[in-house]
């Protein structure tokens, strides 16, 4: 009798789980049904970003930027007389989940998708967007092959981005180091766990060598490292003219701090991933002197658009925006511009409109979309001076 | 030579952080044979408690650390009561999965409440002083972490070897049933173990915050894993082993980055771990206990 | 003779059920009833089944706690992609290469480490998994951390179905063979089985290598479905995910591993609609299931024809009593 009872419990539990599975799938279909009815008065936009997993902080900042842009647009009466309805989903920082989420969003009848952040996760959702002919606007996927197929050289029709690509920034910093800083030797200390760091390092190296410079050492760190002194001690011994640190501010800020603590005085340079108020609060004003980074805008820019964005962001989220937030905001802005140009909320028409965007004034600069779906926008080299970001050089594309 | 000495300093201070986390890890393991994967996340909670006590309450670093230790001791006891105690008599792997669950829960409840972005530890909490010893850069925080790690290890060793509670812990670790027969409250002893272990994690968390200036909800994963490796390296369950394992791990990583290639740092560190395990399967300080048939 | 006949009938029934399942799903896919979203989750489900069944052979039946399964998956994924994308070979060659490469890695890792016991083995396998990942990150031929992007989609429902079925069949038949009895004896009592003349190391290595090979197969399927592979995908957290499925299903139960793989995949998909709290819910479900059912959903029992039969007859009896 007792054995029988236990078996019944087991069977019961299994049945409950089966029910849960069915309910789970069922819930998904019901959602689709509900939203299909809403389509008339709402424009559904998918926000497929990393809210959990390794790069959750990038994804949620970009989400915050994107949602701010959508709320502002809705407060101004929406687009084409309709309100934008953002549908937020978490892709767990993995490519397969990004694909699944995109497919779920397609079921929600979205006209465009914002995100994911990293190149790999964008690649995950690429096939779904291509199959369904829905444009994807990537806020921060910098790898060159996100929008262009390596093998054929063909542009991926429905993938767009609003950020710089790796070759641009890497080359820019190499030129700056060689020409403006007169550096002859450089060390590359890159974020080895991301394609971003690796990609930038590659192009920096190429240009720097072309300019007659010498790369004396290549070192790497991985995401979430906080101790860099071992490699920095080694770099100190090499005494380079310049140190290139392509990576994100979470790692770079303590890295610069430790470099200065160890007595490294050489100029340090990096990409737009440095852009965050945390740079100053972690590394300190003094350590940041003689450091430079390439960017499309400065959050301390006096441009009224930028000032307005920074204020609105601070008011809503009670924190300063970083580069991800700004790019998430611009991704939505450019989508709204595209919708206006297209004249109707149709994903194929929106794609055509996005392809033809020229001189769009975003907060990360004035941009035009080229044939490869990359934004053409001016780059700037920003220098930290006593904790303030100062524009050093502006380079038009 | 100077560079080498500098690398030793670097390695020791990094190792001290690992050692601090590893101490709590190894202690919990020693008593109930549970790999508490949530340990790194308890450290994270400790770091956040320290952060808020510094920024919101404006306390000094010592008060912040004590607050964090008390808060995490309570948290550790609660976790043990709710999540691990019901599983005490089932398989260890079930407890392991629960530990993974607790770890995820702590990470994502923190993200839910505070957002995933990092928070910056106020610089004023621990003003940095640099000492320049003939070109060698030593910071006051280096000395602080190394000394705290050693002192905490000694205190722990004292508790375990010379106090009544410690005796109870050793008894429970050796044979739970016999311990009960000798009138030892197993539940109480295990609770105390978790309280001490979690308090140590909290101390490590606050020190991590001071040392590396930032805290974030996922900060516990990697140091937690490294500290676990350190604990196994020294012989898991053995207090001085965790200490030595931690320092060894720190030195090893530093030496690989400094004299090999930083690109292969983690691979080499893990490779050495495997080698040591193959040569001495119970870790450096582990006792070879013959199998009972 | 009667027994043989019964066996044959059962075999035919199994084949029929599987064929029906396959055709039904294939029909739904061709008619478009199963949209892309369900197809993607179906693929995840099959891949997860392969992973959890193969890990359950190592963890559940052999009793060796391995935390490096994602590493073997990575080896398989990369090996197959190198063959199909870079050397232009057909998918089937990629699949064989994946199994072979992962199996060889399993052998190289298994022979020295399987002498270790319990948690020491766990940490050693975890370390190996991480070493594989770091190594891949530093190989420029496969683009380091960026990984390989734009992989042709070759994994289709027939491939997925065949892979999942073959994995399950091999594992189940292995368990029911004399090898399987030796393998289980290692789990139950290593010293005793050694005394009985069983070469425990040999059986542990066999189970480990077979488990690794199927993880490689899962990697090949994954790579050719999800368009991109990069080392970061295969970190130790992925190994934990697989372990969760195995333990949730019940150590030593193949059907449990399958049910748990389906359950976890469906749960992940269902929680997508709650982005803010999905991981919190996931963690809570994990803890609650473990507290109330520490032996896993199935314990070490199997869900088989007999179980259904028993439940059926049990119901009927109750009915009669009423």
């Amino acid at each position: 009798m007792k054995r029988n009872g236990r078996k019944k419990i087991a069977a019961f539990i299994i049945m409950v789980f089966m029910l849960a599975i069915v309910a789970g799938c069922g819930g998904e279909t019901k959602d689709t049904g509900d939203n299909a009815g809403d389509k008339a008065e709402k424009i559904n936009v998918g926000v497929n970003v990393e809210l959990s997993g390794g790069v959750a902080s990038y994804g949620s900042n970009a989400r915050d930027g994107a949602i701010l842009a959508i709320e502002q647009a809705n407060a101004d009466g929406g687009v084409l007389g309709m309100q934008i309805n953002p549908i937020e989903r978490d892709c767990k920082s993995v490519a397969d989940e990004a694909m699944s989420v995109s497919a779920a969003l397609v079921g929600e009848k979205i006209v465009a998708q914002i995100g994911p952040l990293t190149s790999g996760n964008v690649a995950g959702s690429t096939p779904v967007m291509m199959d369904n002919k829905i444009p994807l606007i990537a806020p921060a996927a910098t790898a060159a092959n996100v929008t262009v197929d390596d093998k054929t050289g063909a542009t991926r029709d429905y993938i767009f981005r609003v950020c710089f690509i790796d070759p641009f920034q890497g080359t820019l910093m190499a030129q700056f180091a060689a020409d403006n800083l007169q550096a002859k030797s450089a060390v590359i200390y890159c974020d080895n766990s991301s394609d971003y760091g690796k990609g930038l390092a590659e192009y920096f190296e190429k240009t720097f060598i072309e300019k007659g410079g010498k790369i004396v050492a290549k070192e790497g760190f991985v995401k979430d490292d906080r101790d860099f002194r071992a490699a920095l001690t080694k770099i100190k011994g090499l005494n380079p003219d310049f140190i290139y640190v392509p990576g994100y501010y979470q790692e770079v800020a303590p890295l610069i701090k430790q470099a200065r603590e160890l007595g490294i005085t050489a100029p340090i340079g990096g990409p737009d991933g440095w852009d965050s108020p945390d740079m100053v609060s972690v590394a300190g004003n003094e350590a940041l002197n003689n450091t430079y980074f390439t960017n499309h805008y400065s959050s301390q820019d006096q441009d009224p658009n930028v000032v307005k964005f920074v204020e609105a962001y601070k008011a809503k989220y009670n924190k300063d925006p970083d580069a991800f937030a700004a790019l998430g905001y611009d991704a939505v802005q450019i989508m709204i511009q595209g919708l206006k140009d297209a004249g109707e909320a149709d994903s194929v028409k929106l794609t055509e409109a996005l392809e033809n965007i020229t001189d769009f004034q975003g907060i990360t600069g004035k941009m035009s979309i080229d044939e490869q779906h990359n934004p053409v926008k001016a780059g700037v080299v920003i220098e930290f001076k006593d904790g303030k970001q100062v524009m050093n050089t502006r380079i038009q594309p | 030579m100077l560079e080498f000495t500098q690398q030793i300093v670097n390695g020791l201070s990094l190792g001290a952080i690992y050692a601090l986390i590893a101490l709590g890890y190894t202690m919990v393991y020693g008593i109930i044979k549970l790999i508490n994967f949530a340990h790194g996340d308890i450290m994270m909670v400790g770091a956040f408690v320290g952060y808020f006590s510094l920024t919101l309450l404006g306390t000094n670093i010592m008060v912040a650390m004590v607050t964090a230790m008390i808060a995490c001791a309570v948290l550790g006891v609660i976790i043990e009561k709710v999540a691990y105690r019901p599983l005490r008599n089932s398989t260890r792997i079930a407890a392991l999965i629960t530990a993974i669950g607790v770890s995820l829960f702590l990470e994502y409840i923190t993200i839910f409440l505070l957002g995933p972005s990092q928070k910056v530890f106020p610089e004023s909490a621990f003003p940095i002083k640099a000492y320049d010893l003939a070109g060698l850069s030593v910071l006051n925080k280096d000395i602080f972490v190394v000394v705290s790690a050693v002192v905490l290890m000694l205190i722990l060793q004292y508790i375990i070897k010379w106090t009544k509670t410690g005796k109870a812990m050793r008894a429970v670790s050796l044979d739970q049933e016999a311990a009960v027969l000798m009138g030892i409250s197993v539940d109480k002893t295990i609770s105390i173990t978790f309280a001490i272990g979690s308090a140590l994690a909290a101390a490590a968390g606050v020190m991590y915050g001071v040392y590396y200036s930032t805290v974030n909800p996922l900060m516990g994963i990697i140091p937690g894993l490294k500290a676990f490796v350190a604990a196994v390296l020294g012989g898991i369950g053995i207090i001085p082993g965790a200490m030595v394992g931690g320092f060894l791990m720190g030195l090893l990583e530093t030496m690989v980055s400094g004299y090999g290639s930083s690109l292969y740092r983690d691979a080499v560190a893990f490779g050495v771990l495997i080698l040591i395990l193959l040569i001495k399967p119970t870790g450096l300080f582990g006792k070879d206990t013959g199998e009972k048939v | 003779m009667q027994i043989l006949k019964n066996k044959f009938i059962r075999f035919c029934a199994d084949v029929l059920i599987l064929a029906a399942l396959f055709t039904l799903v294939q029909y739904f896919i061709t008619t478009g009833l199963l949209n892309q979203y369900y197809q993607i989750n179906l693929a995840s489900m099959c891949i997860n089944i392969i992973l959890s069944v193969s890990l359950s052979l190592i963890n559940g039946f052999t009793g060796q706690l391995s935390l490096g399964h994602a590493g073997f998956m990575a080896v398989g994924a990369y090996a197959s992609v190198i063959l199909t994308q870079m050397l232009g070979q057909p998918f089937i060659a990629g699949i064989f290469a994946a199994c072979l490469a992962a199996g060889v890695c399993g052998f190289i890792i298994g022979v020295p480490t399987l002498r270790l016991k319990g948690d020491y083995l766990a940490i050693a396998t975890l370390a190996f998994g991480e070493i594989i990942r770091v190594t891949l990150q530093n190989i420029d031929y496969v683009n380091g951390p960026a990984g390989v992007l734009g992989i042709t989609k070759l994994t289709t429902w027939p491939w997925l179905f065949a892979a999942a079925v073959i994995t399950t069949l091999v594992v189940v038949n292995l368990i029911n063979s004399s090898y399987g009895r030796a393998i289980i004896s290692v789990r139950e009592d290593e010293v005793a089985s050694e005394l009985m003349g069983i070469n425990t190391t040999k059986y542990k290595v066999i189970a480990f290598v077979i488990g690794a090979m199927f993880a490689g197969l899962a990697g090949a399927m994954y790579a050719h479905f999800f368009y991109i592979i990069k080392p970061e995908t295969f970190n130790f957290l992925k190994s934990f995910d697989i372990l969760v499925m195995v333990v949730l299903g019940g150590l030593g139960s193949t059907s449990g591993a399958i049910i748990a793989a389906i359950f976890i995949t469906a749960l992940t998909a269902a929680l997508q609609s709650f982005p803010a709290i999905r991981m919190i819910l996931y963690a809570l479900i994990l803890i609650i299931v473990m507290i109330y059912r520490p032996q896993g959903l199935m314990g070490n029992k199997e869900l088989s024809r007999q179980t259904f039969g028993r439940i059926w007859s049990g119901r009927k009896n109750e009915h009669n009593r009423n």
Side-chain angles (χ1 to χ4, degrees), chain A residues 52-53 56-57 60-61 192 219-220 222 225-227 229-230 233-234 249-250 257-258 261-262 278 281-282, chain B residues 3 6-7 10 13 108 116-118 120 137 139 142 208 211-214 216 218 254 257-258 260 262-263 265:
Chain A
S52 63
S57 60
S60 61
N61 283 342
N192 200 40
E219 297 294 332
V222 295
D225 269 2
R226 288 294 178 270
D227 201 293
R229 285 169 302 169
T233 304
K234 189 173 157 189
Y249 64 90
Q250 285 95 333
K257 188 182 186 188
Q258 288 166 22
E261 279 168 4
L262 285 167
D278 284 2
S281 41
V282 172
Chain B
E3 192 181 316
Q6 181 72 57
Q7 295 290 26
N10 296 344
S13 49
Y108 288 99
S117 301
Q118 62 179 16
V120 180
S137 148
L139 303 174
D142 292 332
Y208 192 90
Y211 207 88
Y212 298 121
S213 312
T214 56
N216 73 66
L218 300 178
T254 310
S257 298
S262 49
L263 301 173
R265 183 196 61 198

Side-chain angles (χ1 to χ4, degrees), chain A residues 51-231:
Chain A
L51 299 176
S52 63
V55 292
S57 60
Y58 309 167
S60 61
N61 283 342
R63 187 262 324 260
D64 289 349
I67 297 293
L68 176 67
I70 290 173
E71 283 181 1
Q72 285 180 350
N74 283 344
D76 292 344
V79 184
L80 309 172
M82 288 180 275
Q83 294 280 298
I84 303 175
N85 175 34
I87 304 170
E88 263 177 59
R89 290 287 186 271
D90 165 31
C91 73
K92 284 173 85 180
S93 306
V94 283
D96 46 310
E97 191 71 10
M99 183 187 272
S100 162
V101 164
S102 280
L105 286 171
V106 167
E108 309 262 2
K109 308 267 184 288
I110 53 167
V111 293
Q113 177 184 306
I114 307 295
L117 273 287
T118 61
S119 302
N121 297 340
V122 170
S125 63
T126 296
V128 175
M129 307 316 286
M130 302 285 281
D131 286 351
N132 293 288
K133 303 195 186 338
I134 294 171
L136 179 156
I137 306 171
T142 57
N145 60 1
V146 165
T147 57
V148 179
D149 191 332
D150 278 338
K151 286 172 223 152
T152 59
T155 305
R156 297 183 206 275
D157 293 337
Y158 296 91
I159 313 299
F160 296 85
R161 69 175 126 212
V162 291
C163 56
F164 285 132
I165 55 171
D166 293 336
F168 180 75
Q169 283 197 83
T171 311
L172 190 60
M173 191 38 91
Q175 283 168 353
F176 179 78
D179 298 341
N180 299 38
L181 299 173
Q182 309 294 330
K184 296 272 170 288
S185 63
V187 169
I188 296 175
Y189 191 12
C190 77
D191 179 349
N192 200 40
S193 59
S194 74
D195 41 0
Y196 178 64
K198 271 261 177 148
L200 287 164
E202 190 187 322
Y203 291 101
F204 176 87
E205 185 178 2
K206 211 171 123 214
T207 315
F208 195 70
I209 291 172
E210 276 168 16
K211 289 253 167 198
K214 200 175 161 224
I215 304 290
V216 284
K218 277 200 266 184
E219 297 294 332
F221 56 87
V222 295
K223 197 180 148 23
D224 293 325
D225 269 2
R226 288 294 178 270
D227 201 293
F228 308 93
R229 285 169 302 169

Side-chain angles (χ1 to χ4, degrees), chain C residues 12-34:
Chain C
C12 289
D14 284 347
V15 170
L16 273 177
I17 290 169
L18 286 175
L21 182 65
F22 171 77
T23 331
L24 197 68
V25 175
Q26 183 65 50
Y27 173 75
F28 282 149
I29 292 172
T30 23
T31 52
L33 273 170
L34 218 54

Side-chain angles (χ1 to χ4, degrees), chain B residues 44-95:
Chain B
M44 175 271 295
V45 174
F48 269 100
V49 174
Y51 166 79
F52 282 117
S53 135
L54 285 172
T55 51
L56 293 184
L57 307 175
T59 57
N60 69 19
I61 186 74
M62 277 308 162
V63 178
M65 191 173 283
V66 173
T67 322
M69 287 172 85
I70 294 170
C72 282
V74 175
L75 177 70
V77 172
I78 294 172
I79 290 174
E80 195 273 325
K81 271 223 166 92
V82 175
Y84 298 153
R85 187 164 297 176
L87 285 160
R88 204 175 287 159
N89 294 321
S90 39
T91 52
R92 284 171 51 201
I93 196 161

Side-chain angles (χ1 to χ4, degrees), chain B residues 140-201:
Chain B
N140 54 352
K141 60 184 183 182
D142 292 332
I143 302 166
F144 178 62
V145 287
V146 174
V147 171
S148 336
V150 175
V151 169
L152 284 172
M153 196 245 355
L154 289 176
I155 294 174
L156 204 56
Q157 193 71 348
Y158 171 79
I159 291 176
I160 287 180
K161 292 268 161 166
W162 282 286
T163 63
K164 225 168 178 186
T165 323
K167 214 179 221 172
M169 283 177 185
R170 280 181 288 146
V172 171
S173 152
L174 211 60
D175 189 334
Q176 277 195 20
E177 278 168 32
V180 174
L181 293 178
M182 301 317 283
I184 294 168
S185 165
V186 172
D187 283 351
K188 203 174 125 201
T189 312
I190 292 178
S191 287
I192 293 172
T193 309
F194 263 88
I196 298 177
S198 305
L200 282 171

Side-chain angles (χ1 to χ4, degrees), chain C residues 27-308:
Chain C
Y27 173 75
F28 282 149
I29 292 172
T30 23
T31 52
L33 273 170
L34 218 54
N35 65 23
Q36 202 170 17
Y37 173 71
Y38 289 103
Q39 287 182 32
I40 291 170
N41 280 306
L42 192 66
S44 294
M45 228 170 242
C46 290
I47 292 166
N48 282 340
I49 287 174
I50 304 172
L51 288 169
S52 79
V53 167
S54 59
L55 186 64
S56 98
L57 176 64
I58 303 173
N59 279 3
F61 289 103
T62 324
Q64 306 300 311
L65 183 51
S66 163
L67 292 179
H69 220 51
F72 299 125
M73 191 184 168
V75 171
Y78 273 88
S80 66
V81 164
I82 288 172
L83 237 69
T84 61
Q85 306 297 303
M86 291 161 178
L87 306 176
Q89 300 299 312
F91 190 32
I92 186 81
I95 290 176
F96 276 114
C99 294
L100 191 70
V104 168
C105 279
F107 185 77
I108 295 169
I109 293 168
V111 169
T113 53
L114 283 168
R115 296 191 296 128
L116 299 172
K117 290 193 172 57
D119 302 324
Y120 293 99
L121 175 67
I123 192 76
T125 46
L126 193 155
F128 264 119
E130 288 294 284
I131 289 175
I132 290 174
R133 185 177 62 80
V134 176
T135 313
L136 287 173
Q137 247 171 25
N138 287 303
I139 299 176
D140 284 332
Y141 182 64
V142 288
N143 298 336
V148 185
L149 194 157
I151 302 162
T152 333
K153 188 178 162 186
L154 297 170
T155 306
T156 51
W157 166 243
W159 281 112
L160 285 165
F161 185 77
V165 168
I166 289 171
T167 310
T168 314
L169 280 182
V170 169
V171 171
V172 168
N173 282 326
L174 183 77
I175 298 302
N176 291 331
S177 70
S178 63
Y179 280 86
R181 284 186 286 279
I183 283 172
I184 291 170
S185 79
V186 172
R187 172 187 74 189
E188 294 300 326
D189 193 328
E190 206 172 321
V191 180
S193 50
E194 204 149 357
L195 288 175
M196 298 301 288
I198 290 168
N199 183 347
T200 52
T201 315
K202 179 179 141 196
Y203 288 103
K204 281 196 270 183
V205 172
I206 287 176
F208 199 73
V209 170
I210 292 176
M213 280 170 70
F214 284 116
L217 173 68
M221 292 292 152
Y222 179 94
H224 292 86
F225 192 89
F226 287 107
Y227 199 65
I228 174 169
I229 47 167
K230 52 177 186 169
E232 195 53 39
T233 311
F234 307 104
N235 62 9
F236 69 96
L237 296 170
K238 177 80 188 169
S239 298
F240 282 6
D241 284 346
I242 308 170
L243 181 70
V244 164
M245 288 180 223
V246 174
V247 180
L248 206 62
L251 287 173
S253 167
T254 318
S255 42
I258 295 173
I259 292 171
I262 295 172
F263 169 65
I264 293 274
T265 320
L267 181 71
T268 314
L271 290 180
Q272 270 175 5
S273 308
F274 314 96
I277 51 167
R278 81 187 291 197
M279 290 307 284
I280 301 174
L281 288 178
Y282 179 79
L284 283 178
I285 290 172
L286 216 58
I287 298 170
I288 290 168
V289 172
M290 277 299 116
I291 288 178
Y292 289 101
R293 191 130 179 108
Q295 71 274 47
L297 298 176
M298 295 293 297
N300 58 3
K301 307 265 181 344
E302 292 291 354
L303 194 66
S304 61
R305 244 176 274 101
Q306 282 88 338
T307 335
F308 281 120

